[in-house]
Amino acid sequence: MAFNITAIKTASNGVWQGDNPLDFAFPLLIVQTVLILVVSRFLAFLLKPLRQPKVIAEIIGGILLGPSAFGRNKEYMHRIFPKWSSPILESVASIGLLFFLFLVGLELDLNSIRRSGKRAFGIALAGISLPFICGIGVAFVLRKNIDGLDQVGFPQFLVFMGVALSITAFPVLARILAELKLLTTQVGETAMAAAAFNDVAAWILLALAVALAGDGSESGGQKKSPLIAVWVLLSGLAFVGFMMLVIRPAMKWVARRCSGEQGVVDEAYICLTLAGVMLSGFMTDLIGIHSIFGAFVFGLTIPKGGEFAERLMERIEDFVSGLLLPLYFASSGLKTNVATIHGARAWGMLSLVITTACAGKIIGTFAVAMMFMIPFKESITLGVLMNTKGLVELIVLNIGKEKKVLNDETFAILVLMALFTTFITTPTVMAIYKPARGGTPRTHRKLRDLSSATNVDSSKDELRILACAHGPGNVSSLISLVEATRSTKKQLKLFIMHLVELTERSSSIIMVQRARKNGFPFFNRFRRGEWHDRVAGAFQAYSQLGRVSVRPTTAISPLSTMHEDICHVAEDKRVTMIILPFHKQWRGEGGDESMENVGYGWRGVNQRVIKHAPCSVGVLVDRGFGNGPQTPGPTATVAQRICILFFGGPDDREALELGGMMAEHPAVKVTVVRFVEKDGLELDGVTLRPSPNKCSENNYSFSTATMNREKEKELDETAVAEFKSKWDGVADYTEKKTSNIVEGVLTIGQSSDYDLVVVGKGRFPSNMVAELADRQAEHAELGPIGDILTSSGQGVVSSVLVVQQHDMIHADEAPVAKIMHTNYEKFRADIDNQSSGTGEISKAV
């Protein structure tokens, strides 16, 4: 049935007046948008473990919603995606596309292309020319084997096929490289420079393809003159020249006006720039080239790296990338009908296109990379990376379909080719290439080593700490904790790492390029624009204190691999201790107390760092530590009151060592509380044995190493004796006898007598701590004592620092079951039959 588009109304009168909202443009658009977002986000969630770019999920979502899957139900297609709604959906999607291409132009730095040299240019040239030639060859085969293609203009079809196979998706490649932490490696930088060359060439070829698309087509029974294509190209060149010679200097002036020295960015400039994006798109559409070309060129005219560019990204990237752009990808999927590819011949054509696209791109790039003396693995990796397709590919295909150069079957084949080539990029690169980290000599890995270092070892006079922060909220507590460890005898070197989750946002990619070097975070002196001004200002002020060197960096990674950055920097900078912020943070006191949770993903980061760290680790549970009237300085009179809880074991000895360092500070008052059992209870020991059926999330894990209990007791006594003799009269030492360890620990945490309580994680537990093995854990990674002080609803007011000593002996941990001493003998035979790594963990008697 014919449908009159002019009869469509924008809004309905509502169901109570008999209107079906799905028969009206705006309500239907809302339903379509929500459905597309839900499906694409769900698919993105499913594909996240495979580390696939979001564009894959959005294209697949469109294909599923279209005639290939759900659209086989005619009632569904008629109701949710009727034909009359397509122009409306595509118009809204095109607005998102317009602004996204503006962002791509904003990301692409022409100066970096000029600096990249012959190597990137040669790789890009090979990566375009060979696939382009292969595309022309495939075009001949497709014309002979797919019905209807012989009716299409021959030059137009050849150019579109060549462009479709030779494109590299610059934005998608940037996100894949950032995800794999290759963006700032030599391979990543070469790939990005070559992709930037490729991107510029692709836009020129696309302009040529669009100009030719009208040439030879019927219009009112007459053929258009071939000169039209020439006029379109000349007009396009004139447009680019005008933008670069006139608009670019104007935008530089605007950027200077909006710089930090001039105050806040004027809203009028932001609005005029956004209007400029639309106007540029209109001009190129007027010329006869697609409107996105104008938006892309306008993005190139904006100065890179300034506050104005950053503000533009902040204003539009979430709305465009999160809401509007998925509509464009989905609309491409809605046009894709996989059912048109039927029969062995059609699937053979699909295989041919995929094979030719991959072979042309990979072989061409690989051959030239080897000519430039790039190693074999890096050359293959470059070829695979340059084979990434995505946004620009879909734009070319959509324009080809719109101009009737590509029919439904060819369009479906090429969309599936783009999907496949992009899908295989990440797993293939992960399989064939892993950048060399470069070994660094292992030096002091725990605090205890500093005090036991030989006199000839000058590094004992230097304490290196890596403090991680989620944001400004962690600054005060970190400064207070680090300052408390600063002594007059040791030079303190503080490395500050701002942890930022990698997202799909353009600004996130730009941050990666600024903050990483050779694939990893690198440290710089303080500079303008480092994190937030108040964060940089706080640490900059702190660095002015005596004997403190502060160096900042930013780690931008997916949360699943964030620990690799932290551990690499700890190894590279030879730090003695990593300080991590807990994923929960408390504010206020009593009835006004509130808890902020930065997310479960950050808890996973802490857990992985604790497991893989090359040095000792401290997890800081902040309940307002350092939020007092002043930060403790060398002349402060208000002391920070710090309590060290000692039960025994390697972790507790490390906590005691830290307490000794804190005791040196004139503004810190340290109290050591050693828990001992009441007389007569020493023999009521327990034995812990592995319990593989228990979940490590809700049960404490202890070291599986076999250790000499008597030797451990001797080490505990020696450590306590050294502390008492060294800090007698400076730090307080008390022994606390209790039969209820939970009550005893909570009494200290609830007392308000201490600003910070320091405890060991207790991986090789003392007799008293082993009693808690079967206790249900809320935060198992903190160990039994740390978990008691951190659990919600206990009324604890002190901040808590949980310390884990670095020791490879304790690297393997497992959840355990507690066997009381009275039942010990009946299990002895079973335990004797097991290896030391999987049998008895510890016997505390």
Side-chain angles (χ1 to χ4, degrees):
M1 182 180 75
F3 205 99
N4 184 5
I5 189 71
T6 59
I8 300 298
K9 293 182 179 179
T10 304
S12 72
N13 293 317
V15 292
W16 299 114
Q17 299 189 42
D19 283 350
N20 183 348
L22 298 183
D23 291 335
F24 295 83
F26 190 60
L28 181 60
L29 179 64
I30 292 173
V31 171
Q32 291 172 338
T33 303
V34 170
L35 184 61
I36 289 167
L37 291 178
V38 168
V39 171
S40 63
R41 282 292 171 181
F42 177 69
L43 290 171
F45 172 77
L46 294 180
L47 293 172
K48 193 172 184 179
L50 300 177
R51 301 174 83 167
Q52 292 296 326
K54 197 174 65 171
V55 60
I56 294 288
E58 288 164 348
I59 297 173
I60 294 175
I63 292 174
L64 291 177
L65 291 171
S68 302
F70 299 163
R72 290 178 177 273
N73 184 320
K74 300 301 179 186
E75 181 63 23
Y76 157 83
M77 283 299 284
H78 177 71
R79 276 292 171 201
I80 306 299
F81 294 103
K83 287 186 178 180
W84 62 262
S85 71
S86 296
I88 300 168
L89 179 64
E90 288 178 20
S91 295
V92 175
S94 295
I95 294 175
L97 182 66
L98 199 70
F99 281 100
F100 185 77
L101 265 294
F102 168 70
L103 288 175
V104 172
L106 206 54
E107 277 186 66
L108 191 60
D109 188 355
L110 292 177
N111 292 326
S112 68
I113 297 178
R114 283 197 292 267
R115 290 193 302 264
S116 56
K118 294 180 180 178
R119 175 186 288 189
F121 179 75
I123 290 171
L125 188 62
I128 293 172
S129 54
L130 185 58
F132 193 90
I133 294 168
C134 292
I136 291 175
V138 168
F140 282 101
V141 179
L142 291 179
R143 275 178 73 89
K144 289 183 179 179
N145 290 278
I146 294 180
D147 295 337
L149 285 183
D150 53 349
Q151 306 297 318
V152 178
F154 193 54
Q156 300 95 301
F157 185 64
L158 290 183
V159 172
F160 265 99
M161 285 301 299
V163 172
L165 266 66
S166 62
I167 280 175
T168 296
F170 176 81
V172 179
L173 177 63
R175 279 147 187 80
I176 289 175
L177 287 170
E179 176 84 16
L180 297 177
K181 300 187 181 178
L182 298 177
L183 189 60
T184 55
T185 62
Q186 186 177 2
V187 167
E189 288 175 345
T190 305
M192 285 294 286
F197 274 122
N198 200 310
D199 226 28
V200 173
W203 288 110
I204 296 170
L205 291 171
L206 178 59
L208 175 65
V210 173
L212 289 173
D215 183 20
S217 63
E218 297 292 334
S219 179
Q222 294 181 347
K223 285 191 175 183
K224 292 180 181 178
S225 168
L227 286 174
I228 292 177
V230 177
W231 283 116
V232 169
L233 287 174
L234 289 175
S235 301
L237 289 172
F239 172 79
V240 173
F242 175 79
M243 296 295 287
M244 292 300 164
L245 297 175
V246 179
I247 302 300
R248 195 177 189 190
M251 296 313 298
K252 282 184 178 178
W253 178 83
V254 170
R256 282 196 301 271
R257 292 274 299 174
C258 298
S259 64
E261 290 80 3
Q262 303 297 327
V264 296
V265 176
D266 194 332
E267 292 295 318
Y269 291 121
I270 298 288
C271 294
L272 284 174
T273 303
L274 299 182
V277 176
M278 307 288 281
L279 185 59
S280 299
F282 173 78
M283 290 305 298
T284 48
D285 191 81
L286 185 69
I287 290 169
I289 306 174
H290 202 282
S291 56
I292 55 172
F293 185 74
F296 174 75
V297 173
F298 188 64
L300 293 176
T301 66
I302 308 293
K304 308 300 183 285
E307 191 170 331
F308 182 62
E310 290 178 3
R311 186 63 61 87
L312 281 171
M313 284 189 179
E314 287 175 8
R315 292 297 173 88
I316 62 179
E317 66 179 343
D318 284 336
F319 182 69
V320 169
S321 301
L323 182 67
L324 298 182
L325 197 61
L327 301 184
Y328 183 81
F329 290 121
S331 67
S332 301
L334 287 167
K335 297 175 191 171
T336 305
N337 189 356
V338 179
T340 57
I341 309 174
H342 54 82
R345 177 177 290 185
W347 286 102
M349 290 299 101
L350 174 61
S351 302
L352 173 68
V353 169
I354 290 174
T355 305
T356 307
C358 294
K361 205 63 152 165
I362 295 172
I363 293 172
T365 304
F366 171 76
V368 174
M370 290 294 287
M371 287 171 57
F372 281 110
M373 308 301 291
I374 296 176
F376 179 84
K377 273 193 174 181
E378 280 86 342
S379 298
I380 284 285
T381 304
L382 276 171
V384 175
L385 289 169
M386 296 297 288
N387 196 37
T388 304
K389 302 287 190 285
L391 176 71
V392 184
E393 174 83 5
L394 287 181
I395 293 169
V396 171
L397 300 183
N398 275 290
I399 293 173
K401 194 169 192 304
E402 187 181 305
K403 303 288 185 182
K404 302 193 184 310
V405 175
L406 305 176
N407 62 13
D408 288 347
E409 187 176 350
T410 313
F411 181 80
I413 286 173
L414 292 174
V415 168
L416 292 181
M417 179 271 292
L419 258 181
F420 179 81
T421 53
T422 306
F423 188 88
I424 64 170
T425 299
T426 300
T428 306
V429 171
M430 288 175 67
I432 65 176
Y433 183 70
K434 189 72 176 176
R437 288 173 173 265
T440 53
R442 285 181 173 266
T443 57
H444 298 307
R445 285 290 172 250
K446 49 183 181 283
L447 297 172
R448 186 72 179 166
D449 288 337
L450 292 176
S451 61
S452 61
T454 59
N455 291 331
V456 296
D457 190 353
S458 61
S459 61
K460 74 170 189 173
D461 295 326
E462 185 178 73
L463 173 62
R464 291 169 171 247
I465 293 177
L466 172 61
C468 302
H470 298 142
N474 303 127
V475 170
S476 179
S477 58
L478 281 176
I479 289 179
S480 295
L481 176 59
V482 172
E483 171 60 25
T485 65
R486 188 173 68 86
S487 71
T488 56
K489 299 177 183 177
K490 288 184 175 66
Q491 168 74 30
L492 176 59
K493 248 189 180 174
L494 176 61
F495 300 94
I496 302 295
M497 181 179 280
H498 186 195
L499 307 180
V500 179
E501 183 179 7
L502 178 69
T503 66
E504 292 277 342
R505 303 172 71 184
S506 300
S507 55
S508 187
I509 304 301
I510 290 173
M511 285 177 69
V512 171
Q513 291 172 312
R514 289 181 188 170
R516 299 178 82 88
K517 189 175 185 179
N518 199 29
F520 293 100
F522 74 100
F523 290 83
N524 244 332
R525 297 291 179 187
F526 283 103
R527 62 186 184 273
R528 187 184 165 279
E530 186 75 50
W531 306 5
H532 305 281
D533 287 344
R534 53 182 171 154
V535 177
F539 281 105
Q540 198 165 14
Y542 175 63
S543 69
Q544 303 305 315
L545 293 170
R547 297 176 67 84
V548 180
S549 169
V550 182
R551 302 288 292 277
T553 189
T554 304
I556 307 171
S557 293
L559 294 186
S560 59
T561 58
M562 181 76 75
H563 68 283
E564 294 176 2
D565 282 350
I566 298 171
C567 293
H568 171 81
V569 168
E571 184 74 52
D572 185 54
K573 298 300 179 183
R574 306 186 308 279
V575 304
T576 309
M577 173 172 274
I578 300 170
I579 298 176
L580 299 168
F582 194 53
H583 67 284
K584 294 179 181 178
Q585 197 171 16
W586 283 265
R587 291 285 179 265
E589 294 182 3
D592 297 329
E593 184 181 73
S594 62
M595 191 268 288
E596 176 188 348
N597 192 334
V598 294
Y600 185 81
W602 290 104
R603 181 187 182 190
V605 172
N606 286 1
Q607 290 170 336
R608 288 185 286 273
V609 172
I610 290 171
K611 183 175 182 181
H612 299 289
C615 60
S616 294
V617 180
V619 180
L620 179 60
V621 183
D622 183 21
R623 288 194 174 93
F625 184 56
N627 290 342
Q630 71 178 88
T631 298
T635 60
T637 55
V638 178
Q640 293 281 15
R641 302 159 303 165
I642 296 177
C643 179
I644 314 294
L645 301 187
F646 188 86
F647 294 88
D651 294 338
D652 282 42
R653 292 197 294 272
E654 189 79 346
L656 189 64
E657 188 71 29
L658 181 63
M661 291 181 176
M662 291 175 168
E664 290 187 52
H665 200 292
V668 175
K669 182 63 176 177
V670 174
T671 301
V672 176
V673 178
R674 185 180 187 183
F675 280 78
V676 294
E677 294 170 301
K678 284 188 175 180
D679 296 337
L681 296 178
E682 288 87 348
L683 295 178
D684 291 336
V686 296
T687 295
L688 305 179
R689 57 184 309 205
S691 181
N693 296 326
K694 285 190 174 183
C695 172
S696 59
E697 287 290 315
N698 302 317
N699 296 275
Y700 303 120
S701 295
F702 297 102
S703 172
T704 58
T706 301
M707 296 186 71
N708 187 322
R709 173 61 61 180
E710 292 303 320
K711 184 178 179 181
E712 285 297 305
K713 284 187 177 181
E714 287 180 18
L715 291 172
D716 290 344
E717 295 299 334
T718 302
V720 171
E722 286 180 358
F723 182 90
K724 290 166 69 176
S725 64
K726 190 174 183 180
W727 304 112
D728 185 33
V730 178
D732 293 336
Y733 174 84
T734 61
E735 292 188 353
K736 187 180 180 71
K737 292 185 177 182
T738 180
S739 58
N740 188 330
I741 187 173
V742 176
E743 184 180 306
V745 169
L746 285 177
T747 299
I748 293 173
Q750 296 165 352
S751 65
S752 300
D753 292 337
Y754 305 104
D755 302 300
L756 178 69
V757 177
V758 182
V759 301
K761 182 183 174 185
R763 290 167 300 160
F764 191 72
S766 65
N767 184 37
M768 298 182 74
V769 176
E771 291 279 358
L772 304 173
D774 282 341
R775 184 177 179 273
Q776 188 71 11
E778 185 176 341
H779 309 109
E781 68 272 18
L782 301 181
I785 306 302
D787 185 37
I788 290 170
L789 290 168
T790 311
S791 298
S792 55
Q794 300 288 7
V796 175
V797 294
S798 302
S799 296
V800 181
L801 179 68
V802 180
V803 177
Q804 173 183 284
Q805 184 187 70
H806 174 67
D807 197 331
M808 294 305 296
I809 295 173
H810 299 298
D812 295 325
E813 300 178 18
V816 298
K818 183 175 71 174
I819 304 169
M820 297 308 296
H821 181 69
T822 53
N823 297 325
Y824 174 68
E825 293 300 331
K826 69 187 263 189
F827 289 101
R828 182 71 251 179
D830 293 336
I831 294 172
D832 287 339
N833 291 329
Q834 299 181 38
S835 65
S836 60
T838 56
E840 180 183 352
I841 287 182
S842 66
K843 179 186 176 186
V845 294

